Amino acid sequence: MKIGLYFGSFNPIHTGHLIIASFMAYHTDLDKVWLVVSPHNPLKASSSLLNEHHRFHLAEMAVQDEPRLRVSNIEFSLPRPSFTIDTLTYMTEKFPTQQFVVIMGSDSFQNIPRWKNYEQLLANYEIYIYNRPGHEVKDTYGGKVTVVDAPMLDISSSNIRKWIQEGKSVRYMVPDTVWKYVAENNYYKG
């Protein structure tokens, strides 16, 4: 089975994430897409992160009725901060019959030389890149790269958090189940 791993903080998960995950699952040769909730991205500040278990639960609610999408908390039990190459190495050992592909935006791919052991990642794993405006893929750094034109929404988790703090509605930007759960639990209120 060929599984796309879509890493992210998902803080919170939103419709833009789900469109990309679904598009990759149904419009490429991937059999499934796993959204890997990262406890802490080493290239981002962790101060605004909702508890990882809450973020995982919100992501699970968002994909509960989608058979080709799954949420993974595999990084919760690995050393922190989470490095993609370490997670991939672990997953390849744990699931030797699966073929893993990394899914990322072209903006993230531009930073790949800053990633831990990025040469090993590029040599051993395919990468499916979805285009982000203003971040054209000009160099593949020798990797097995496939650029996919997935539909994009100009939406971000940081804006969603900001709007929640301002008391503005984020309905339709996140799935209804997530929207209701965030409101009921006063997440991101500050």
Side-chain angles (χ1 to χ4, degrees):
M1 189 175 291
K2 194 169 187 179
I3 298 171
L5 300 178
Y6 185 14
F7 293 87
S9 300
F10 303 110
N11 186 38
I13 192 163
H14 57 67
T15 306
H17 294 132
L18 297 169
I19 288 171
I20 290 163
S22 179
F23 189 87
M24 291 293 188
Y26 287 98
H27 297 267
T28 68
D29 62 346
L30 298 175
D31 297 299
K32 290 195 179 283
V33 170
W34 293 1
L35 292 92
V36 181
V37 179
S38 300
H40 177 216
N41 177 333
L43 299 178
K44 289 184 179 179
S46 63
S47 59
S48 65
L49 281 178
L50 184 66
N51 173 285
E52 64 206 44
H53 298 286
H54 296 319
R55 290 183 285 122
F56 175 77
H57 181 64
L58 292 173
E60 276 195 315
M61 287 192 313
V63 304
Q64 66 188 353
D65 296 323
E66 179 47 66
R68 295 186 76 170
L69 301 183
R70 176 183 155 194
V71 182
S72 172
N73 61 0
I74 196 101
E75 288 191 337
F76 292 13
S77 61
L78 297 176
R80 297 181 193 194
S82 307
F83 293 100
T84 303
I85 191 61
D86 296 339
T87 303
L88 285 165
T89 301
Y90 176 78
M91 291 183 82
T92 301
E93 290 171 7
K94 185 173 170 96
F95 304 103
T97 61
Q98 312 298 354
Q99 178 185 353
F100 293 109
V101 173
V102 177
I103 297 170
M104 71 172 68
S106 56
D107 53 339
S108 293
F109 188 72
Q110 287 181 340
N111 290 322
I112 203 139
R114 294 176 53 204
W115 290 27
K116 178 183 175 184
N117 298 341
Y118 80 97
E119 301 96 337
Q120 181 186 351
L121 190 152
L122 291 170
N124 296 315
Y125 299 94
E126 285 183 78
I127 301 179
Y128 287 14
I129 300 172
Y130 55 92
N131 277 316
R132 300 284 305 242
H135 300 279
E136 185 179 319
V137 177
K138 296 178 182 164
D139 187 351
T140 62
Y141 305 102
K144 295 171 271 198
V145 170
T146 301
V147 179
V148 178
D149 282 319
M152 296 297 304
L153 280 181
D154 186 15
I155 188 171
S156 71
S157 294
S158 56
N159 279 339
I160 288 171
R161 292 190 306 271
K162 178 176 150 271
W163 294 327
I164 290 171
Q165 287 175 350
E166 293 171 354
K168 296 176 181 169
S169 176
V170 295
R171 189 167 190 193
Y172 308 116
M173 294 176 215
V174 298
D176 264 356
T177 54
V178 171
W179 174 70
K180 289 173 185 168
Y181 198 84
V182 165
E184 287 167 7
N185 290 281
N186 291 314
Y187 291 160
Y188 304 111
K189 289 281 186 182

